[in-house]
Amino acid sequence: METDASASAPLLQTCLQAAHPEQPGQPARRPLAIQDFDIGCPLGKGKFGSVYLARLKESRFIVALKVLFKSQIEKEGVEHQLRREVEIQAHLHHPNILRLYNYFHDTRRVYLILEYAPRGELYKELLRSHTLDEKRTATIMEELADALAYCHAKKVIHRDIKPENLLLGFRGEVKIADFGWSVHTPSLRRKTMCGTLDYLPPEMIEGRTYDEKVDLWCIGVLCYELLVGSPPFESASHSETYRRILKVDVRFPPAMPVGAQDLISRLLRFQPGERLPLSQILVHPWVKAHSRRVLPPCAQAAP
C-alpha cells in the first residue's frame, strides 16, 4: 500500500527527530550539512538510495555516507523502520558492528554517516572465491558470536544475518552492517516474519512467536554457506526450500570438516531452545582450533 507523501512528510520528520543518536546533555552543535563533506566514489546502491565514500572537510575523517531519498522512504511507508535502524545502530559500539556516527537530512534526502569498511562486502568475497577456508570461516563465526552476544545483551535481535549484510574492515574483520530488520524488544519475543528465504528459521515460517535464537539459526546457515558456497536448504522452488527448512534437511558434503559439521548441526535445530548458545560457539573446539580473530586497537577503548 502506498503512503501519501504529503501526509507522511511530518511523520518522517518526527521519526528522524526521535531517532537522533547523540547523547542527552551534549552541547548543541551546528547541524551537519552535505556541504561539510567531500564526496567520493559510490560504494553501493540500494532500494532507497546509494552509499558513497566521503570525507569530512574539517577533520578529514573518512566515512561512508548513505544517502536515502525521502520520497522513496515515504512511498514504501518505512519511516518507522528507518527510525528503528538509526536508533539501534547508533547505540551499538562493538568492533564487529558497523558504527553509525550520526545522521542529518535536508528537504529531499536523509544522510547516514557510517563507518567506512574498506574491504567491502563479504558477499562479494564469497562470489569471487566461491567458498572460504576453515580459518576464515571460523574467524567469522567467532566475530559474529561475540557481536550478537553483545546485541542480545542489549535486547536487540538482528533477524537478517547473511553475507550481503556483512562488511569487512581494514584487517578483514566482519562488521554487521544492515540493521534494517533489527528490533529492540525488552522481552526478546516477536512474531513478525522477515529476513531472507534461505535463512528463515522454522519458527518464522510457521508463524510462531520467536526470540533471539533466530540469530543462532542464521549463523548456522551462514557457516554452511561460507564453507560450501550455497545455503544448506537452497532448492529449485520456495515451497521446497520451506519444506527442507521445516524438516531441517541438512546434507553435508563429504569434504565438510567434521568439526564444522558438528557446529552447524548444533545450530540448525528445529527447537530454538536446543540451539548452541553464542557463548558455546566461542569455545567450540573447531572455532578455537581455526579462528584467527584479531581485535582492532580501538576495540580496547570501546564503550
Side-chain angles (χ1 to χ4, degrees), residues 201-261:
E203 58 268 36
M204 271 195 189
I205 291 174
E206 292 188 334
R208 291 183 273 145
T209 301
Y210 59 83
D211 57 17
E212 76 282 2
K213 295 180 187 69
V214 295
D215 288 339
L216 297 173
W217 176 276
C218 289
I219 59 173
V221 174
L222 178 74
C223 188
Y224 184 104
E225 180 170 7
L226 295 181
L227 290 167
V228 177
S230 58
F233 308 108
E234 187 176 67
S235 305
S237 68
H238 287 188
S239 57
E240 177 63 10
T241 300
Y242 284 140
R243 188 194 67 78
R244 290 189 60 199
I245 289 170
L246 292 174
K247 285 186 170 293
V248 195
D249 179 16
V250 186
R251 303 161 192 174
F252 292 109
M256 170 78 78
V258 174
Q261 282 190 43

Side-chain angles (χ1 to χ4, degrees), residues 31-288:
L32 284 163
I34 194 63
Q35 291 78 16
D36 294 317
F37 295 84
D38 293 317
I39 308 298
C41 62
L43 299 172
K45 189 170 176 61
K47 185 175 184 180
F48 303 114
S50 299
V51 182
Y52 298 90
L53 185 63
R55 183 176 64 189
L56 276 157
K57 290 178 179 176
E58 188 177 337
S59 64
R60 303 183 70 80
F61 188 67
I62 300 292
V63 297
L65 194 64
K66 191 172 185 177
V67 183
L68 306 169
F69 285 95
K70 288 183 176 181
S71 58
Q72 285 296 107
I73 294 165
E74 290 158 359
K75 181 181 177 182
E76 297 293 328
V78 292
E79 298 94 336
H80 287 293
Q81 188 175 319
L82 174 61
R83 170 189 169 176
R84 188 171 62 200
E85 181 178 358
V86 171
E87 281 182 330
I88 290 172
Q89 197 169 350
H91 291 94
L92 297 177
H93 300 169
H94 185 281
N96 299 115
I97 297 174
L98 198 76
R99 285 292 306 276
L100 170 60
Y101 297 119
N102 211 330
Y103 82 91
F104 59 97
H105 58 102
D106 56 29
T107 54
R108 294 181 57 221
R109 300 176 185 88
V110 178
Y111 304 88
L112 305 185
I113 308 170
L114 295 159
E115 176 185 359
Y116 172 52
R119 291 180 60 172
E121 296 175 20
L122 177 63
Y123 175 70
K124 288 182 180 173
E125 180 180 327
L126 192 58
L127 276 182
R128 285 192 300 269
S129 58
H130 184 61
T131 60
L132 303 185
D133 62 22
E134 286 187 86
K135 285 181 183 176
R136 188 88 176 92
T137 303
T139 302
I140 289 169
M141 292 303 290
E142 182 180 350
E143 290 169 338
L144 286 178
D146 193 40
L148 288 171
Y150 171 86
C151 288
H152 294 174
K154 290 187 171 289
K155 310 297 183 189
V156 171
I157 314 173
H158 189 275
R159 305 197 293 185
D160 199 20
I161 295 292
K162 59 181 179 179
E164 293 90 332
N165 288 342
L166 302 172
L167 296 182
L168 303 171
F170 180 72
R171 302 184 184 189
E173 72 276 16
V174 156
K175 305 267 186 185
I176 301 176
D178 193 324
F179 283 78
W181 278 119
S182 299
V183 64
H184 177 263
T185 171
S187 69
L188 283 177
R189 297 186 71 78
R190 299 286 289 184
K191 210 171 179 182
T192 311
M193 184 164 168
C194 58
T196 304
L197 177 65
D198 288 312
Y199 279 70
L200 284 177
E203 58 268 36
M204 271 195 189
I205 291 174
E206 292 188 334
R208 291 183 273 145
T209 301
Y210 59 83
D211 57 17
E212 76 282 2
K213 295 180 187 69
V214 295
D215 288 339
L216 297 173
W217 176 276
C218 289
I219 59 173
V221 174
L222 178 74
C223 188
Y224 184 104
E225 180 170 7
L226 295 181
L227 290 167
V228 177
S230 58
F233 308 108
E234 187 176 67
S235 305
S237 68
H238 287 188
S239 57
E240 177 63 10
T241 300
Y242 284 140
R243 188 194 67 78
R244 290 189 60 199
I245 289 170
L246 292 174
K247 285 186 170 293
V248 195
D249 179 16
V250 186
R251 303 161 192 174
F252 292 109
M256 170 78 78
V258 174
Q261 282 190 43
D262 179 74
L263 176 64
I264 293 164
S265 63
R266 288 169 184 261
L267 288 166
L268 298 182
R269 296 287 175 91
F270 183 85
Q271 295 297 343
E274 295 177 4
R275 293 171 197 159
L276 190 70
L278 293 167
S279 59
Q280 294 301 304
I281 296 173
L282 295 170
V283 296
H284 187 275
W286 178 76
V287 172
K288 285 183 72 69

